[in-house]
């Protein structure tokens, strides 16, 4: 048991590192952009109580539909950061996302650390993924695979019109398989303008659906609206995230 607890602690620490989270957030990290460029969005500062929900690593034929059902039941919207290699055979799920008012974001073609790609491969990954996703509406947001990023990646994505988003509320759902823990963590740490990061796919997706069914009504009771990243940006007066993808370059 002692070894198991130690493993959980070490694993949680690793998750923090690979997610790109730094606690506490600096003012630059906490802002939606800096004066030199778009930077990386960790959270927003809206004038009313709203939370941006983001869901990574779908679509999944067994669990994405469950998540969409929960979101529809509670009147919530989310940004789904999807992986290209998971789209084939699940195109109807992306169509449903778009049709139900959700947003689709670019999470790369494969489930891998984007930071390990060369500049050329990274740009090709963004471009090829965008061509697929653009069939389902405007794609504004990029999230690096596995979380880590560098200035080069952010600048490359920005030149193509993307904004890079991470978040400030991450309940370790890639490591801790406890719906109750995820529920308590989100409710404890969420605040107006937060970006929540959870995951789809297999057991993680099923736990996400169960957790959201518990968390969403509690957020509503606290006065929160649950929205997409672009809707949150608009609430902050950023004209639906200020930029769209430069299709001329793609």
């Amino acid at each position: 048991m002692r070894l198991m607890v130690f493993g959980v602690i070490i694993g949680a620490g690793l998750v923090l590192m690979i997610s790109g989270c730094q606690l506490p957030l600096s003012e630059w990290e906490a802002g939606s952009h800096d004066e030199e460029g778009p930077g990386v969005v960790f959270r927003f500062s809206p004038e009313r109580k709203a939370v941006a929900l983001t869901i990574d690593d779908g679509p999944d034929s067994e669990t994405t539909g469950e998540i969409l059902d929960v979101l529809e039941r509670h009147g919530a919207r989310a940004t789904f950061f999807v992986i290209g290699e998971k789209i084939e055979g699940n195109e109807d799920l992306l169509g449903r996302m778009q049709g139900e008012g959700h947003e689709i974001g670019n999470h790369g073609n494969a489930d891998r650390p984007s930071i390990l790609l060369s500049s050329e491969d990274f740009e090709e990954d963004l471009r090829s993924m965008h061509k697929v996703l653009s069939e389902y509406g405007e794609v504004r947001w990029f999230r690096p695979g596995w979380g880590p990023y560098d200035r080069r990646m952010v600048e490359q994505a920005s030149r193509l019109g993307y904004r890079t988003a991470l978040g400030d509320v991450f309940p370790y759902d890639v490591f801790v398989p406890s719906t109750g823990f995820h529920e308590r963590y989100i409710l404890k740490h969420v605040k107006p303008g937060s970006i929540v990061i959870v995951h789809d796919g297999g057991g993680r997706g099923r736990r996400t659906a169960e957790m959201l069914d518990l968390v969403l009504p509690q957020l509503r009771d606290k006065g929160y609206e649950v929205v997409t990243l672009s809707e949150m940006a608009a609430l902050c007066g950023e004209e639906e995230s200020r930029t769209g993808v430069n299709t001329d370059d793609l």
Side-chain angles (χ1 to χ4, degrees), residues 51-53 77-79 101-103 141 226-233:
V51 174
L53 175 62
R77 293 175 300 282
T79 300
H102 305 293
E103 181 174 44
W141 298 91
V226 179
V227 300
T228 68
L229 287 170
S230 289
E231 288 173 330
M232 178 70 85

Side-chain angles (χ1 to χ4, degrees), residues 24-37:
L25 294 174
S26 69
E27 288 301 314
W28 181 84
E29 291 169 325
S32 58
H33 63 278
D34 63 8
E35 295 302 321
E36 300 300 323

Side-chain angles (χ1 to χ4, degrees), residues 32-172:
S32 58
H33 63 278
D34 63 8
E35 295 302 321
E36 300 300 323
V40 178
V41 184
F42 282 82
R43 65 174 181 255
F44 292 90
S45 299
E47 294 183 358
R48 68 175 190 248
K49 295 182 76 172
V51 174
L53 175 62
T54 65
I55 302 172
D56 292 3
D57 294 355
D60 184 284
S61 60
E62 295 185 1
T63 59
T64 303
E66 295 180 18
I67 293 172
L68 288 168
D69 289 344
V70 172
L71 295 174
E72 183 178 26
R73 182 158 59 247
H74 296 290
R77 293 175 300 282
T79 300
F80 286 82
F81 282 99
V82 303
I83 293 175
E85 64 185 11
K86 297 185 178 182
I87 292 175
E88 186 175 359
N90 292 315
E91 292 87 352
D92 58 329
L93 290 170
L94 269 68
R96 183 179 170 189
M97 291 173 191
Q98 192 274 336
E100 295 182 0
H102 305 293
E103 181 174 44
I104 297 173
N106 191 330
H107 203 31
N109 276 295
D111 187 7
R112 61 190 174 191
S114 303
I115 198 169
L116 297 183
L117 297 175
S118 68
S119 295
E120 294 77 14
D121 289 343
F122 175 71
E123 184 160 329
E124 175 57 28
D125 194 61
L126 275 180
R127 290 175 180 272
S128 61
M129 184 66 170
H130 179 79
K131 289 179 180 178
V132 175
L133 297 182
S134 61
E135 298 180 15
Y136 302 93
E138 190 168 10
V139 189
R140 300 172 178 270
W141 298 91
F142 164 69
R143 175 167 287 161
W146 291 32
Y149 67 93
D150 57 22
R151 182 176 295 276
R152 165 189 63 89
M153 294 165 57
V154 175
E155 291 176 349
Q156 281 184 274
S158 178
R159 283 196 297 272
L160 296 177
Y162 277 103
R163 294 184 68 188
T164 301
L166 288 175
D168 65 324
V169 180
F170 173 41
Y172 310 119

